[in-house]
Amino acid sequence: MNTDPTLRKKVTRWLDEAYETEDNRVCEELLGKVLSVSPDNPEASLLLAEVFQGDEDQYRDRLRHVLEVLDRPEAEWSGYLSEGCLPGWLKAAALQRLAFSLLADEESGDEEKTEALALAEELVQNDPDRQTLGRLLHYGALLKLRRYREALKETIKDSADSPERAYTKALASFRLSGPCEEAYQSVCSAIRIDPDLPFLMSGIWEMDDEESEQDDRTHAMALVFGPLLDEDEQAAAWFNTPILIFGFLTGRLPDEMAQTLEPQLEEAGMGDMLKIAQGQLEALLQQDMDRDPEEIDRLAADILAQLGDF
């Protein structure tokens, strides 16, 4: 569409300044200027939703509005986006943020989870290169809706090794068959793929408040999948056991926690198994004292897998 070059320059400057400022009030003022000349501008509306100081329902309504605008056949705002900003990127961002908001909320019911599933499916369909969290959110929605067989089928079709695929396979297998070797080996695979993640998901480590974009996946896994591992007492005990054993082997447990847990493992009959695993790892390390931390993690995960279902 034809746009006023002078006005377009102003809008681009306002948007750039809105991205750069750390003052939410200033950001809102700049975005207000954009919307005054480009009503329903989806880029401005999306950024405004992120800095808006309101409740979660209002935040979601703003994201739904962005998606509604992007789905309209007419796009009077198309000439007033920042340099390099694409409507497809805006849609993916809105879909991802709305689905995540719905799934991370413990108060969400089946209606909200079903909405999140539809959003995640659309995200996956439009993201063949897996640049978004679509697959993670899709798995999470299926699990939260207790559609375990469907979730398990999705893991079979998914050829990419990822923590979300491994934990989905473990959770779905556990819910369908109870504690079993398939579920256990899937947990070991998940630990092998990302050794730090289970300690964030289980709350043993705290999430860093200053998370970067690189940590978006970790943040989503902790908030979407973490509660699924701790959904009831049996699940929490079963999933936490291999995580704790791995923590002992690799020194990932805080000292105070390790001192408290060791006698508890003894009481639960796991003390001998832990000692065997520690002895195996120590023997391997004595053969080569120059192993890097990543290799030690792999060895510990292999030993964990060999121990078998607890």
Side-chain angles (χ1 to χ4, degrees):
M1 63 171 290
N2 294 325
T3 57
D4 180 342
T6 302
L7 185 57
R8 174 175 166 73
K9 272 189 176 181
K10 287 183 179 180
V11 169
T12 300
R13 187 181 75 248
W14 291 334
L15 286 168
D16 289 343
E17 290 176 2
Y19 281 116
E20 291 170 4
T21 184
E22 295 183 2
D23 187 322
N24 286 348
R25 184 184 57 80
V26 172
C27 184
E28 288 179 353
E29 289 176 357
L30 290 163
L31 296 173
K33 290 181 180 181
V34 175
L35 292 170
S36 70
V37 298
S38 176
D40 286 336
N41 183 298
E43 184 178 10
S45 297
L46 182 62
L47 184 52
L48 192 58
E50 293 304 305
V51 299
F52 173 68
Q53 300 297 313
D55 63 33
E56 200 69 12
D57 286 336
Q58 292 173 305
Y59 171 66
R60 292 170 190 164
D61 285 341
R62 286 172 176 254
L63 293 175
R64 291 186 184 103
H65 175 69
V66 172
L67 292 171
E68 179 193 342
V69 169
L70 289 166
D71 284 340
R72 292 175 188 166
E74 73 279 0
E76 296 178 0
W77 43 263
S78 61
Y80 296 104
L81 299 179
S82 63
E83 192 69 33
C85 181
L86 300 174
W89 178 87
L90 294 173
K91 186 166 188 177
L95 286 168
Q96 179 168 296
R97 291 171 190 178
L98 181 52
F100 176 72
S101 173
L102 292 164
L103 291 177
D105 187 350
E106 294 184 7
E107 300 298 319
S108 289
D110 283 353
E111 184 178 348
E112 289 81 10
K113 295 170 188 174
T114 301
E115 180 185 1
L117 177 61
L119 295 165
E121 286 174 343
E122 185 174 357
L123 196 54
V124 170
Q125 290 168 4
N126 293 288
D127 181 29
D129 297 327
R130 303 177 78 121
Q131 298 298 307
T132 70
L133 302 181
R135 185 71 63 177
L136 184 159
L137 296 168
H138 186 230
Y139 282 138
L142 288 172
L143 291 170
K144 285 179 177 284
L145 285 165
R146 303 184 183 279
R147 291 161 62 169
Y148 302 123
R149 294 189 188 282
E150 189 176 344
L152 202 53
K153 287 179 182 178
E154 288 297 320
T155 66
I156 294 171
K157 292 190 293 184
D158 188 356
S159 59
D161 282 332
S162 65
E164 55 265 32
R165 176 180 180 268
Y167 280 110
T168 297
K169 190 173 181 181
L171 281 157
S173 299
F174 179 84
R175 291 304 179 188
L176 291 170
S177 305
C180 61
E181 186 66 17
E182 183 176 11
Y184 179 79
Q185 292 302 328
S186 295
V187 173
C188 294
S189 294
I191 292 173
R192 191 179 289 109
I193 293 168
D194 189 338
D196 289 340
L197 181 58
F199 300 93
L200 292 164
M201 291 171 61
S202 62
I204 294 173
W205 291 356
E206 291 185 6
M207 290 293 298
D208 188 353
D209 291 336
E210 299 297 324
E211 71 194 59
S212 65
E213 288 185 13
Q214 185 179 357
D215 296 323
D216 280 353
R217 184 173 300 275
T218 298
H219 186 67
M221 285 295 297
L223 291 180
V224 175
F225 278 74
L228 290 167
L229 297 178
D230 199 28
E231 205 166 12
D232 55 64
E233 191 173 329
Q234 183 191 26
W238 192 83
F239 280 103
N240 280 331
T241 298
I243 292 171
L244 292 174
I245 295 290
F246 183 77
F248 273 110
L249 292 176
T250 60
R252 280 181 165 83
L253 298 181
D255 291 341
E256 186 175 341
M257 178 179 287
Q259 292 170 7
T260 302
L261 287 173
E262 198 156 7
Q264 293 179 8
L265 287 175
E266 290 281 356
E267 291 177 13
M270 300 295 301
D272 289 343
M273 190 169 291
L274 174 59
K275 289 173 184 175
I276 291 170
Q278 288 173 324
Q280 290 176 344
L281 182 60
E282 186 177 344
L284 290 170
L285 295 180
Q286 286 179 349
Q287 294 173 13
D288 183 355
M289 304 296 289
D290 297 324
R291 297 182 192 271
D292 59 40
E294 290 78 13
E295 189 175 358
I296 294 172
D297 285 344
R298 287 194 295 272
L299 291 172
D302 289 343
I303 291 170
L304 189 67
Q306 291 166 13
L307 292 177
D309 179 15
F310 298 109

